[in-house]
Amino acid sequence: MERTILHLDLDTFFVSVERLVNTSLVGKPVIVGGMSDRGVVSTCSYEARRFGVHSAMPMRMARQLCSQAVFIRGDMELYSRYSRLLTDIIADRAPVYEKMSIDEHYLDLTGMDRFHDCQLWSHELRQKIIHETGLPISFGLSENKTVAKIATGQAKPNGELEVPIPYINSFLDPLSVQKIPMVGEKTYALLHSMGVEKIGTLSRLPPLAMERAMGKHGLD
């Protein structure tokens, strides 16, 4: 049986919650994280990202790149409350789900296509989440977690994307290997040094070559 995996990910979750509480933040560059110079960025709005700000960046650097941003320490209790609301909505409708983080879930919809159009079901669930939480959320739908998660990234912000099995290769091949979950800066630098920048190029490398270059991680 072909698997069907749905990946749901709230968009700039902390920022989106802050904008629900304070609508004056809508449209402005917003950065949430530790307020000291030693602090790091937890998340930031798309407006801040245009200045080069990103998650896990030192707050000092974020201030230099986007001094006009609104900086917020964050409220984990508030974010957790919205996260539980999201999970409750999913748990009420999904046959099997896995909560990966405060803002991210995987749903196994395998077999549901005998009774429902999985893309339509996923769309209706997403609309229900938006209606009941007020938060933007994106999803990717495909045959496994990796492709579904990459599809979600391509669907953002606040979108949805299904990648049917026959189209997986044509979807993945032109994308940067940086789109692959868990490919960080060091792994990307190594792959780049090997002449590998696109997922299509990576897919044509012999597994043995990847193992020699990166050990077990390369095989994975």
Side-chain angles (χ1 to χ4, degrees):
M1 179 185 293
E2 294 177 349
R3 297 186 69 200
T4 305
I5 303 298
L6 173 67
H7 177 251
L8 286 162
D9 192 10
L10 289 160
D11 296 336
T12 59
F13 176 42
F14 297 170
V15 170
S16 296
V17 173
E18 294 292 345
R19 284 174 168 173
L20 282 180
V21 176
N22 181 2
T23 57
S24 70
L25 297 175
V26 175
K28 296 179 180 178
V30 179
I31 299 174
V32 178
M35 300 305 287
S36 70
D37 285 343
R38 293 186 177 182
V40 298
V41 175
S42 296
T43 191
C44 59
S45 67
Y46 286 99
E47 292 84 358
R49 293 181 189 185
R50 297 191 189 108
F51 291 86
V53 181
H54 58 78
S55 299
M57 171 180 286
M59 188 61 77
R60 177 183 295 178
M61 184 179 296
R63 292 183 186 278
Q64 292 172 349
L65 291 172
C66 190
S67 59
Q68 66 270 46
V70 179
F71 292 85
I72 300 173
R73 182 181 301 278
D75 184 342
M76 287 306 300
E77 183 177 344
L78 178 64
Y79 306 151
S80 295
R81 190 157 68 243
Y82 275 95
S83 177
R84 288 193 296 271
L85 175 58
L86 169 65
T87 302
D88 287 345
I89 296 171
I90 291 172
D92 187 53
R93 294 178 60 90
V96 181
Y97 72 92
E98 180 181 6
K99 185 167 185 172
M100 295 302 295
S101 66
I102 195 170
D103 61 353
E104 182 180 17
H105 294 73
Y106 286 103
L107 285 64
D108 191 340
L109 308 185
T110 303
M112 279 184 59
D113 56 349
R114 290 177 292 176
F115 311 101
H116 303 282
D117 179 321
C118 289
Q119 195 281 332
L120 178 60
W121 186 92
S122 302
H123 169 77
E124 291 174 347
L125 174 62
R126 175 173 168 264
Q127 291 302 315
K128 182 178 179 65
I129 291 168
I130 293 172
H131 176 72
E132 295 194 11
T133 68
L135 298 170
I137 188 167
S138 300
F139 80 66
L141 183 67
S142 197
E143 75 161 340
N144 60 48
K145 288 181 175 181
T146 299
V147 181
K149 185 177 177 69
I150 293 173
T152 302
Q154 294 299 104
K156 286 178 176 288
N158 203 26
E160 49 193 65
L161 178 61
E162 178 184 13
V163 184
I165 292 175
Y167 300 98
I168 288 178
N169 286 343
S170 59
F171 165 69
L172 292 177
D173 283 358
L175 299 179
S176 167
V177 291
Q178 290 178 298
K179 298 288 186 178
I180 301 174
M182 304 306 294
V183 172
E185 293 183 6
K186 290 183 179 179
T187 301
Y188 174 69
L190 176 58
L191 290 172
H192 182 77
S193 71
M194 297 167 60
V196 179
E197 295 189 16
K198 304 295 184 182
I199 293 177
T201 306
L202 178 63
S203 71
R204 292 188 289 272
L205 285 182
L208 182 59
M210 292 301 300
E211 184 177 20
R212 286 174 175 168
M214 304 171 62
K216 183 179 180 298
H217 181 55
L219 286 177
D220 293 338

